[in-house]
Amino acid sequence: MWQELQEENQPIQVLINDHLLSQPVTFYDKFIYQQTSKTDFTELDRLLGKIVLHYGVGILEGWYWYRIEKLIDEEKLEAKQSKIPMKQLIRLRK
């Protein structure tokens, strides 16, 4: 019963086929991974633009930025810092 309650109260609610479903905080990470490369770096502002263009319906750019920062901290993404935060370079960690 506790596990069912925990699954019903995940931090993200997603509307799929007219059903509101609870999802883990990592639910949208797949969209970030699909727009990044293991070989080529992409500027953060361009990466966010591509993600929002392809998958951003109802999801704020700030959420993706937050998740990208978390994935960098978890060493799933690699970043080259820049003086301008939106110009840092991002790619999948090899």
Side-chain angles (χ1 to χ4, degrees):
M1 186 168 138
W2 173 251
Q3 186 172 1
E4 287 178 22
L5 182 62
Q6 190 175 17
E7 288 175 7
E8 289 176 11
N9 291 296
Q10 291 288 330
I12 296 196
Q13 301 290 313
V14 179
L15 189 63
I16 300 176
N17 295 330
D18 294 327
H19 292 86
L20 191 60
L21 303 172
S22 294
Q23 297 296 320
V25 73
T26 59
F27 180 77
Y28 293 104
D29 292 358
K30 60 187 161 217
F31 303 135
I32 296 169
Y33 293 137
Q34 289 173 354
Q35 295 300 315
T36 53
S37 166
K38 284 186 177 183
T39 56
D40 299 322
F41 281 96
T42 304
E43 288 182 354
L44 178 59
D45 58 349
R46 288 181 187 256
L47 176 59
L48 289 170
K50 289 189 327 185
I51 293 167
V52 170
L53 177 67
H54 289 98
Y55 314 107
V57 178
I59 307 302
L60 298 175
E61 184 178 290
W63 175 255
Y64 286 112
W65 190 356
Y66 166 77
R67 287 304 304 156
I68 289 169
E69 292 299 321
K70 288 292 184 183
L71 294 171
I72 292 168
D73 290 344
E74 295 171 6
E75 298 184 350
K76 294 178 180 176
L77 294 177
E78 182 179 353
K80 286 186 178 181
Q81 297 301 323
S82 171
K83 292 179 184 177
I84 302 169
M86 292 300 285
K87 295 295 181 185
Q88 70 177 322
L89 300 173
I90 308 292
R91 74 174 177 190
L92 289 171
R93 184 161 299 274
K94 292 182 177 183

